[in-house]
Amino acid sequence: MTEPNPTPTSSPAPGTPILEARGVGKAYGGVVALQDVSMAVTAGEVTCVLGDNGAGKSTLIKILSGAHAPSAGELLVDGVETRFDGPRAALDAGIATVYQDLAMVPLMPVWRNFFLGREETVGKGLLSRLDHKTMRRVTKDDLKAMGIDLKDVNQPIGTLSGGERQCVAIARAIHFGGRALILDEPTAALGVKQSEVVLRSIVEAKRRGIGVVLITHNPNHAYPVGDHFLVLNHGTSMGYFAKADLTVEQLATMMAGDPLDVEGM
């Protein structure tokens, strides 16, 4: 087993596995939260992880993001078995997780939130200062590339819609080297129009060759953007499917706990 590799300098070909989980399980004492789950995060594709509350989605996120080590199974980064010793190791390998709370400061400008904790500076030593001009320009350009054309990145980020804030978080993760993005229920608290903004940003990330994991309980959001689908129920996998192998109706049926009738397909 090896430590995570640094983020590669070149983008892998579309469909190339970036992060893989093979037979992953997690137990907390005598409680089994996840059992024998396998999936892959591939360049330029979206893998949707679906399930109701208590299905095991949060546990899987923690394993993929390096927050928790699996009790069973293995993780592979670029085909090499890897054990993350924490979220920082996952970030160093290009695995970025965007949680529902987004880790933003509502009263700070958009550009300050974009660079929060990773500010650009000019000058050295005591003469060092924040490079406001560069950070504003980069924020505006990166958001525009994701389909969010803000007139003023100086406005407090709390004034943006929920969908726009999600897009800021996604663009930020990509800017700082995320080549596999794990999105934790990004449309859960959003209306129809705001959800569409987020789904468009996911499609744009996919177009750029980013591997995306979309965690959701909404099959109608997952199916239009997804390439692969993992359905969890009480910590176990009900199947890992390519889009061509199931319909949105079958996806919804499995989420309700009914297995897919493969023979009847």
Side-chain angles (χ1 to χ4, degrees), residues 103-149:
M104 293 181 176
V105 183
L107 296 180
M108 276 189 176
V110 174
W111 67 269
R112 286 299 302 269
N113 275 279
F114 191 94
F115 282 92
L116 193 62
R118 301 186 181 187
E119 291 79 3
E120 298 280 350
T121 60
V122 292
K124 296 181 179 180
L126 296 177
L127 299 179
S128 176
R129 64 189 186 279
L130 293 178
D131 189 351
H132 295 180
K133 183 177 180 179
T134 295
M135 289 189 284
R136 290 191 188 103
R137 174 182 56 78
V138 169
T139 300
K140 185 173 179 61
D141 290 348
D142 279 22
L143 289 178
K144 188 174 183 179
M146 296 297 291
I148 305 296
D149 191 6

Side-chain angles (χ1 to χ4, degrees), residues 9-22:
T9 55
S10 59
S11 300
T16 302
I18 299 171
L19 175 64
E20 298 173 80
R22 295 183 179 175

Side-chain angles (χ1 to χ4, degrees), residues 24-28 32-35 37 39 48-70 87 97-101 182-186 188 213-217 230-236:
V24 162
K26 184 65 180 178
Y28 300 94
V32 177
L34 203 67
Q35 184 174 0
V37 172
M39 61 166 287
C48 299
V49 179
L50 300 101
D52 210 340
N53 293 334
K57 302 190 303 295
S58 295
T59 301
L60 182 59
I61 290 175
K62 291 173 183 176
I63 292 173
L64 296 178
S65 66
H68 288 180
T97 303
V98 178
Y99 292 100
Q100 289 186 56
D101 61 13
I182 303 170
L183 308 179
D184 178 21
E185 297 275 8
V213 179
L214 173 59
I215 311 291
T216 182
H217 62 272
L230 169 67
V231 181
L232 298 177
N233 183 266
H234 297 295
T236 61

